[in-house]
């Protein structure tokens, strides 16, 4: 893919690269930071390091998620990625010292803007984010356009869709970036009878994805 970075990006790095406009700004600092923190947890969930447990109810055939989402560490062992390992160490420490279970909603609020810094630095180091005047950072156009093309292809059914890309697409929607990329809704090729996009995920991972994107603040909030 033309413009693609030489090595794969992590889920939060991809989200940060998509979030930056060519002007060097993001639409909303708080929403971007929270979604980046959600991408961090989503990346760990994909590796089966953690899950978010939610309460679910069903009304008129529609499933609703309730509660702040208690986090469960499945495997705090090393992932081989420095930033993921550092995050896991923070989660282990927080879980060990907290007087009550650590919830995903509380963690995302606590993590806040601290989530952006390491991933922004990693993108800058790889030449995918460039510092400009007045502390603005502009994304490398080719890499960002290639990532946008992958998201668009997943949406319109013309490209591959795995669990990693699925959650990235959902974060794009939660962070209200869809309009920027000309996205509307999933094509039916990627939707089964239950309305859940492919690929078919384990229920606990699907619940984790849904909970994390639900905790990203909307424009109204």
């Amino acid at each position: 893919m033309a413009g693609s970075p030489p090595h794969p990006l992590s889920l939060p790095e991809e989200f940060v690269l998509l979030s930056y406009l060519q002007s060097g700004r993001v639409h909303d600092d708080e929403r971007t930071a929270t979604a980046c923190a959600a991408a961090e947890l989503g990346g760990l969930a994909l590796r089966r390091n953690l899950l978010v447990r939610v309460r679910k109810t069903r009304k008129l055939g529609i499933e609703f998620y309730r509660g702040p989402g208690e986090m469960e560490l499945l495997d705090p062992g090393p992932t081989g990625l420095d930033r993921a390992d550092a995050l896991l160490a923070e989660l282990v420490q927080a879980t060990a010292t907290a007087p009550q279970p650590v919830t995903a909603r509380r963690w995302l609020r606590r993590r806040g803007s601290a989530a952006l810094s390491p991933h922004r630095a990693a993108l800058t180091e790889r030449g995918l984010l460039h510092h400009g005047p007045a502390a603005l950072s502009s994304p490398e156009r080719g890499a960002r356009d290639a990532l946008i093309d992958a998201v668009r292809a997943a949406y319109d059914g013309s490209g591959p869709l795995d669990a990693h890309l699925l959650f990235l697409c959902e974060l794009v929607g939660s962070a209200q970036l869809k309009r920027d990329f000309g996205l509307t809704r999933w094509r039916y090729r990627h939707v089964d009878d239950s309305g859940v996009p492919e690929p078919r995920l384990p229920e606990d991972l699907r619940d984790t994805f849904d909970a994390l994107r639900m905790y990203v603040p909307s424009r109204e909030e």
Side-chain angles (χ1 to χ4, degrees), residues 80-190:
L81 300 174
D82 291 343
R83 281 178 291 279
D85 289 345
L87 179 63
L88 270 174
E90 285 188 48
L91 287 166
V92 169
Q93 178 67 18
T95 302
T97 58
Q100 53 189 344
V102 178
T103 65
R105 179 183 292 168
R106 185 183 308 154
W107 175 263
L108 295 182
R109 290 176 179 173
R110 166 183 168 177
R111 180 74 173 158
S113 59
L116 281 175
S117 181
H119 306 295
R120 195 161 43 200
L123 291 171
T124 301
E125 182 179 343
R126 295 176 61 175
L128 299 179
L129 205 58
H130 308 292
H131 289 302
L136 300 179
S137 300
S138 60
E140 198 282 315
R141 184 182 294 273
R144 182 174 182 269
D145 287 350
L147 195 52
I148 292 172
D149 287 344
V151 170
R152 284 175 175 159
Y155 260 81
D156 65 24
S158 63
L161 181 67
D162 59 11
H164 177 112
L165 184 54
L166 169 62
F167 188 48
L168 179 64
C169 290
E170 293 186 339
L171 282 178
V172 164
S174 295
Q176 300 179 330
L177 299 175
K178 289 171 58 176
R179 185 180 301 174
D180 296 69
F181 306 147
L183 306 174
T184 53
R185 60 194 179 98
W186 295 98
R187 290 296 179 90
Y188 291 107
R189 173 181 169 185
H190 284 318

Side-chain angles (χ1 to χ4, degrees), residues 6-220:
H7 303 290
L9 298 177
S10 68
L11 188 57
E13 288 169 352
E14 288 178 337
F15 177 77
V16 172
L17 187 61
L18 287 173
S19 298
Y20 272 92
L21 307 173
Q22 291 302 141
S23 65
R25 300 181 183 277
V26 296
H27 282 302
D28 181 279
D29 291 337
E30 180 183 359
R31 189 164 59 245
T32 300
T34 304
C36 180
E40 290 182 322
L41 296 183
L44 294 178
L46 284 168
R47 296 182 181 90
R48 306 302 286 183
N49 292 109
L50 65 77
L51 291 171
V52 177
R53 300 294 185 183
V54 292
R55 297 194 305 274
K56 296 187 289 185
T57 58
R58 184 177 291 274
K59 294 182 180 180
L60 301 177
I62 301 175
E63 202 166 60
F64 295 89
Y65 291 81
R66 301 178 56 192
E70 183 177 330
M71 288 196 292
E72 178 183 347
L73 287 175
L74 302 179
D75 181 6
T79 66
L81 300 174
D82 291 343
R83 281 178 291 279
D85 289 345
L87 179 63
L88 270 174
E90 285 188 48
L91 287 166
V92 169
Q93 178 67 18
T95 302
T97 58
Q100 53 189 344
V102 178
T103 65
R105 179 183 292 168
R106 185 183 308 154
W107 175 263
L108 295 182
R109 290 176 179 173
R110 166 183 168 177
R111 180 74 173 158
S113 59
L116 281 175
S117 181
H119 306 295
R120 195 161 43 200
L123 291 171
T124 301
E125 182 179 343
R126 295 176 61 175
L128 299 179
L129 205 58
H130 308 292
H131 289 302
L136 300 179
S137 300
S138 60
E140 198 282 315
R141 184 182 294 273
R144 182 174 182 269
D145 287 350
L147 195 52
I148 292 172
D149 287 344
V151 170
R152 284 175 175 159
Y155 260 81
D156 65 24
S158 63
L161 181 67
D162 59 11
H164 177 112
L165 184 54
L166 169 62
F167 188 48
L168 179 64
C169 290
E170 293 186 339
L171 282 178
V172 164
S174 295
Q176 300 179 330
L177 299 175
K178 289 171 58 176
R179 185 180 301 174
D180 296 69
F181 306 147
L183 306 174
T184 53
R185 60 194 179 98
W186 295 98
R187 290 296 179 90
Y188 291 107
R189 173 181 169 185
H190 284 318
V191 179
D192 61 20
D193 292 339
S194 67
V196 179
E198 294 179 358
R200 295 178 184 273
L201 305 179
E203 184 177 3
D204 54 8
L205 184 58
R206 175 73 269 176
D207 290 345
T208 296
F209 283 178
D210 285 341
L212 290 175
R213 65 183 177 85
M214 181 175 64
Y215 300 143
V216 176
S218 67
R219 184 167 294 157
E220 290 73 19

